[in-house]
Amino acid sequence: MTSIFIITIVNFYRLVLGFILAVFTRIRSLASRSPHYRTLEELNGLLATATTFEEWQEAAERLDVLLGKDIWRRDPISKPYDYKMIQERLEALERARGEGDVPGMVNLLRSGMLRNLGNICHGNLYSQSYAGTKLLIEEYIRTVMASLHYIAELPPSPILSPQTKLNILHDTRSSFGRTSLILQGGAIFGLYHIGVVKALLLRNLLPRIITGTGVGALIAALVCIHTDAELPGFLCGEGIDLSAFAGKEKGGVKRKLFRILRTGYLLDIGVIERCVRANVGDLTFEEAYQRTKRVLNITLAEQKGADGAKIPGLLNHITTPNVLIYTAACASNATGGLYKAVELLCKDHNGVVVPYTSTLPQRQGSPAAGNTGSSAGKAKLSSRRHGDPRGSPHARVAELFNVNHFIVSQARPYIAPFISPAHTHSTSSGFYKLLGLEIRHRLQQIDTLGLLPVGIRKFLIDEVVPGSTLTVVPDLDYMDFEMLVENPSQERVGYWIMKGERSVWPVCGEVEVRCGVEFCLERLWEDVRSRQLGVSRRRDGR
């Protein structure tokens, strides 16, 4: 009797469970066929396949409306930031401009020149919406820039002389700080950096200070030798000379294996040198800076040459003005042990190209003393650690150029898949991001104890970037990793450029909040300064 009762109870609950599952399945089926679901799926598809920022932004705004996120944007209240202070400062600036109160406006601007004023750069303010952040924050940034334009365009007066105006813009610019775009590594994934630069340039958000490491150094060099007028043509991908790779598209894996057996190196640095030199020429850091006014920084892991002469870990127009850019970019790639060591070259006082270390004071008794052969200039790997922010080349960038904010484009294939992007709308798996973060944390702990071999840490431990950072990474899938051993082609360049652009579009709103005022100050300061110089020259009759 008891067993029959138990069987009856089991069958009853099985029947109830079956009914619930059937209802759930039916509801899910109906939802999948509902107009709302189809629209949501369609808009997500448009985000993933958009070919221009305008297409992406339209789809993002429609998604916000569909999901009710536009209501969140219109509501200024949110815990992460001080919305009351932002609202009060916005109203005060508008009131001062409306009344023509220049001293009051200047005081408001100079007292609030902080990139993260009121915590407006908090990450949670940029993960709630596809199309942007709180409308109050965006309006505040526009109001600050409008106020700066108002001051810059005022005619000279006893209250605001041209020199006073220039001093205000200079001091405000120094107080706010500057941004450096960091392009890190990537093998063939490094072509993705071109798309990142293109997307930022088209939105007037490209920093003038660009730092490159590995393949990122090659892209940074190509960007920094082009003027503003030349950049759009180069960034379409067709302006890159890839003739050095001609005939090397096939048999790549087999050729690389034979190279390892023959030379001990996986990749042929000679091909990279020919490619970079064909695109960059024999320009030095100083010559490139004078041509474009862009600050090119290239980082090296090497500290000493074969003769013991010290080689800077950061190369630019200040630390190494006469070094040839193409040799520095290639040397940055040779730091991982995949390439043969590269000789740094520079121009001497007569313009003759010589090994860089031959221009440095030689140590007494050095085997290379008096020798200017190629072995003297080849970089030798040191054990310098990047775990200490004070020893990071990026900390040196911050010191030299008043940089307090970094935009990091991370394309290293052994790091990028495990980094959570700056936005939350990536299709990459959250589980793998979490796993990667845990692995990196454990490796950093081992490295802190000094137990991680140098060869491993070069690949798995990322360089320390001090201060405030915003990181963008490519949205990778398994098919992308099949390209790692391929040489670049025009078709692949276009593919990675589009992938780079799409990674930037979701963070354009955040970059505008973080950097819009900075770039506005930079442009206005240059305009006012050039006008003042023009007036001085006309006055002097020059």
Side-chain angles (χ1 to χ4, degrees):
M1 187 70 178
T2 303
S3 60
I4 295 174
F5 178 78
I6 293 174
I7 292 172
T8 302
I9 294 296
V10 170
N11 287 335
F12 173 79
Y13 279 108
R14 182 181 296 169
L15 180 64
V16 171
L17 181 60
F19 175 79
I20 293 173
L21 289 174
V23 171
F24 176 80
T25 303
R26 178 62 175 168
I27 293 173
R28 184 178 179 184
S29 176
L30 290 173
S32 66
R33 293 199 298 269
S34 68
H36 177 89
Y37 182 87
R38 288 199 300 272
T39 304
L40 183 62
E41 190 176 34
E42 176 189 351
L43 290 175
N44 276 311
L46 288 175
L47 282 182
T49 59
T51 56
T52 66
F53 175 76
E54 289 71 24
E55 290 179 7
W56 186 93
Q57 185 70 12
E58 182 183 357
E61 290 174 353
R62 289 173 60 190
L63 261 175
D64 277 355
V65 172
L66 185 65
L67 300 175
K69 295 179 182 292
D70 59 320
I71 300 174
W72 176 86
R73 293 188 69 197
R74 289 196 297 268
D75 181 7
I77 300 175
S78 186
K79 288 183 178 180
Y81 80 115
D82 190 343
Y83 66 91
K84 290 182 180 179
M85 181 182 71
I86 299 300
Q87 182 70 55
E88 290 171 358
R89 294 189 66 85
L90 186 152
E91 293 172 354
L93 281 170
E94 290 180 337
R95 186 166 54 252
R97 190 165 78 244
E99 297 172 354
D101 182 7
V102 176
M105 194 184 310
V106 170
N107 182 61
L108 281 167
L109 288 171
R110 296 186 69 169
S111 64
M113 270 303 131
L114 297 174
R115 195 181 301 272
N116 194 25
L117 180 70
N119 215 23
I120 60 175
C121 294
H122 194 284
N124 288 349
L125 295 170
Y126 303 89
S127 61
Q128 305 299 320
S129 165
Y130 286 85
T133 184
K134 294 287 187 180
L135 295 182
L136 172 62
I137 296 175
E138 295 176 358
E139 185 181 359
Y140 172 73
I141 295 299
R142 287 194 296 269
T143 301
V144 171
M145 292 192 290
S147 300
L148 290 169
H149 275 281
Y150 179 86
I151 292 172
E153 293 166 4
L154 279 175
S157 68
I159 298 177
L160 195 66
S161 67
Q163 186 59 47
T164 301
K165 185 187 300 184
L166 192 64
N167 292 341
I168 290 171
L169 292 172
H170 177 271
D171 294 346
T172 307
R173 180 170 172 250
S174 299
S175 172
F176 196 87
R178 305 182 73 186
T179 296
S180 174
L181 173 63
I182 298 178
L183 309 179
Q184 290 194 335
I188 195 170
F189 291 5
L191 296 173
Y192 151 90
H193 296 310
I194 302 176
V196 171
V197 172
K198 180 180 178 181
L200 292 173
L201 177 71
L202 293 178
R203 301 297 301 166
N204 293 318
L205 296 172
L206 180 64
R208 301 199 72 81
I209 304 172
I210 301 180
T211 305
T213 301
V215 175
L218 306 179
I219 305 302
L222 292 174
V223 171
C224 289
I225 67 165
H226 289 88
T227 63
D228 291 342
E230 296 168 341
L231 262 184
F234 159 71
L235 293 174
C236 70
E238 297 177 359
I240 304 177
D241 185 349
L242 297 176
S243 58
F245 295 97
K248 299 181 181 296
E249 294 82 5
K250 303 295 182 181
V253 176
K254 182 178 179 181
R255 185 171 58 250
K256 289 175 175 60
L257 290 175
F258 276 118
R259 185 181 299 119
I260 290 176
L261 295 175
R262 188 176 67 257
T263 67
Y265 296 99
L266 177 64
L267 303 173
D268 184 0
I269 192 63
V271 176
I272 300 295
E273 281 187 293
R274 290 194 296 274
C275 178
V276 180
R277 192 174 189 184
N279 288 279
V280 177
D282 287 343
L283 282 174
T284 66
F285 283 91
E286 177 65 24
E287 290 167 346
Y289 177 73
Q290 292 299 330
R291 185 172 191 272
T292 68
K293 297 305 178 184
R294 297 188 189 280
V295 177
L296 169 63
N297 297 288
I298 291 179
T299 67
L300 299 181
E302 290 90 354
Q303 287 269 311
K304 296 180 180 179
D307 58 355
K310 187 175 181 180
I311 298 176
L314 180 72
L315 284 68
N316 54 43
H317 71 281
I318 294 177
T319 60
T320 54
N322 298 320
V323 167
L324 301 189
I325 292 174
Y326 89 87
T327 64
C330 291
S332 184
N333 278 269
T335 59
L338 298 178
Y339 297 94
K340 186 179 179 181
V342 173
E343 181 179 31
L344 282 179
L345 301 176
C346 71
K347 293 181 181 178
D348 64 13
H349 60 284
N350 294 317
V352 178
V353 176
V354 296
Y356 173 68
T357 51
S358 69
T359 64
L360 300 176
Q362 301 293 329
R363 294 192 313 174
Q364 195 67 26
S366 167
N371 176 16
T372 59
S374 61
S375 62
K378 290 187 179 179
K380 174 182 169 184
L381 185 66
S382 77
S383 59
R384 177 171 59 91
R385 296 190 175 275
H386 293 306
D388 183 0
R390 294 168 298 181
S392 166
H394 303 303
R396 183 66 172 145
V397 171
E399 294 171 358
L400 288 173
F401 304 107
N402 191 33
V403 170
N404 60 4
H405 179 247
F406 295 88
I407 300 174
V408 181
S409 175
Q410 179 58 267
R412 287 171 173 160
Y414 43 86
I415 293 178
F418 304 116
I419 293 182
S420 295
H423 51 87
T424 59
H425 309 305
S426 172
T427 58
S428 300
S429 170
F431 170 76
Y432 290 108
K433 301 287 185 187
L434 184 62
L435 177 63
L437 289 172
E438 178 64 22
I439 293 173
R440 291 178 67 208
H441 173 65
R442 298 305 176 190
L443 287 172
Q444 286 168 348
Q445 286 182 320
I446 297 173
D447 184 51
T448 301
L449 297 173
L451 302 177
L452 195 67
V454 174
I456 295 178
R457 79 172 315 279
K458 285 184 301 180
F459 287 98
L460 299 180
I461 301 298
D462 200 11
E463 294 174 346
V464 174
V465 179
S468 177
T469 62
L470 176 67
T471 302
V472 292
V473 294
D475 196 0
L476 301 170
D477 56 47
Y478 73 92
M479 294 183 64
D480 293 327
F481 287 88
E482 296 177 359
M483 305 180 194
L484 272 176
V485 295
E486 293 183 2
N487 286 319
S489 64
Q490 290 297 340
E491 180 183 0
R492 293 302 188 202
V493 170
Y495 171 84
W496 285 104
I497 288 177
M498 180 52 65
K499 192 175 280 286
E501 288 188 77
R502 286 183 179 139
S503 72
V504 171
W505 293 338
V507 299
C508 275
E510 186 171 0
V511 176
E512 287 177 357
V513 171
R514 287 170 172 254
C515 305
V517 172
E518 172 194 341
F519 298 153
C520 177
L521 276 167
E522 191 168 282
R523 288 189 293 268
L524 292 175
W525 181 78
E526 289 176 352
D527 290 345
V528 172
R529 181 170 175 267
S530 62
R531 287 202 301 266
Q532 187 171 349
L533 286 173
V535 170
S536 299
R537 286 170 180 166
R538 287 195 298 272
R539 187 185 302 121
D540 297 339
R542 287 181 288 174

